Amino acid sequence: MILALLDEAVSAGARLSRACSVLGLSERTIQRWRQQGGGEDRRHGPKTEPPNKLSPQDRQRVLQRVNSPEFCDLSPNQIVPRLADREIYVASESTIYRILREEDQLAHRQRSRPPAKRPREQVATGPNQVWSWDITYLRGPVRGQFFFLYLVLDIWSRKIVGAQVYAQELPQYAAELFEHSCQRLELDPRGLVLHADNGGPMKGSTMLATLQRLGVVASFSRPRVSDDNPYSEALFRTLKYRPEYPSQPFATLEQAQAWVDGFVRWYNTEHLHSALRFVTPDDRHEGRERAILKNRQRVYEAARRQHPERWAGPLRNWQPVEVVFLNPDKITRDVEDLQKAA
C-alpha cells in the first residue's frame, strides 16, 4: 500500500523525497523494498530484547518511586534531579517516561489544569454541515472605540452566511445573527456544527442556550490559540487587505454595515477562491461547481490535444475538493500533506 501511494504521488508530480518524508520514510528504505520485490512492511524492530533492559523488579521500583506521595505530582524531569541530590538513581527521564506510557500512566501529574487538548476534528462533505464564526474590530469615529463585525462562514463552501456589524460584543447579538442566518437560508440547523473561539460572546449563556434549543453542536478552539479557527481568521485577513478597505475609520455603524454588505457580495459571488479550485463560494454552495470545473477540464484537454508539446506533465487538477477538515488530527494532516505533495 505504501509503495502504491508513493507511485501515485510521484506520477502526479510530487518529488519522491517529499512524499517519503510525509510517511516518515527515507528514499533508501523505499529503494530496498523495491529491490526485495515489495511485500509486507518490515519495520518490526529488533526481535531480541536489549541486554540492558530493566528487570521486572527494577521496573516495579521505578513505578513505586514515581507514584509515591512525594513524587506523584511531579514529572520525570523533576523527579530524576531530586533523586540525584539524594545520591539515588533509578532510571533516566526517557526510561521513566517510556514506563509510564506503557503502563498508561502518562498523564498530567500536577494539580494545575492540564494543557488544553486539540479540538475534535470536524469534517464537512457538503454545505451547511460545519460553520465557523468569529468577531473582528472595525475602527470607529472615536480613537480607541470600535465597531464589531460578527461573521459566520460555511467552511465547506467558504460562503459567508451571516455578517452583521454591532456597537458592542454581546452574546445575544451572536445568537440573533445565527438564527437570522438560518432563517434566511431556510435551514433546519439540527446537527450542524458551529465552531468558535473561547471569547465571551461565544460562550455566553444566551448563545449556548440558543444553540442547545436549535440542536446545534457547539465546538470551541483552545484558549489563546488562533489557528484552531483558521477559516474565520483567514477571511478577516482577506477582508482587511482588500484594496477598497477604507484607510479612515468608519464614521457610523450604518457606513460600516454598508461596506461589509458590499464585501460579502463580492466575496460570495465574484471571488475565485484558491482553496476551491478557483470557483466562487456561491457556485460551490449552490452546486454549480462541478459543471464549471468539468468545463475547465475540457478546455485543458482540448488545448493539450492541439499543442501536446507544451505539456510535459499531467493536466492541471480541476477535480472538486470533496472534503474539508477543521482542526484535522495527525493522520488526516499526514494524508493532506501527501495530497499537497502530489
Side-chain angles (χ1 to χ4, degrees), residues 127 135 227 250 268 276 280:
I135 300 173
D227 60 1
F250 292 103
N268 283 345
L276 306 177
T280 67

Side-chain angles (χ1 to χ4, degrees), residues 45 50 90 110 116 118 127 163 182 228 289 328 333 335 338:
V90 291
Q110 298 180 353
R118 191 172 186 86
C182 294
D228 284 350
E289 169 195 36
R333 292 198 300 273
V335 173
L338 186 57

Side-chain angles (χ1 to χ4, degrees), residues 46-62:
K47 296 183 179 180
T48 58
E49 293 184 352
N52 59 348
K53 180 180 179 180
L54 290 181
S55 66
Q57 295 79 13
D58 290 336
R59 182 187 180 95
Q60 191 60 36
R61 279 195 288 270
V62 170

Side-chain angles (χ1 to χ4, degrees), residues 263-279:
F263 170 81
V264 171
R265 283 192 298 272
W266 168 84
Y267 184 87
N268 283 345
T269 63
E270 299 180 35
H271 176 52
L272 301 182
H273 204 295
S274 60
L276 306 177
R277 309 283 189 230
F278 295 95
V279 299

Side-chain angles (χ1 to χ4, degrees), residues 135 146-150 165-170 172-173 201 253:
I135 300 173
F146 301 91
F147 299 127
F148 301 91
L149 170 58
Y150 292 57
V165 181
Y166 295 99
Q168 294 176 283
E169 276 190 303
L170 295 175
Q172 52 265 38
Y173 290 159
L253 188 69

Side-chain angles (χ1 to χ4, degrees), residues 118-157:
R118 191 172 186 86
R120 180 180 177 181
E121 176 185 78
Q122 304 295 344
V123 181
T125 58
N128 302 323
Q129 294 180 1
V130 183
W131 286 3
S132 169
W133 82 279
D134 205 347
I135 300 173
T136 191
Y137 294 168
L138 302 177
R139 290 186 299 167
V142 179
R143 185 179 181 88
Q145 294 185 3
F146 301 91
F147 299 127
F148 301 91
L149 170 58
Y150 292 57
L151 195 146
V152 187
L153 173 77
D154 186 305
I155 74 163
W156 187 81
S157 65

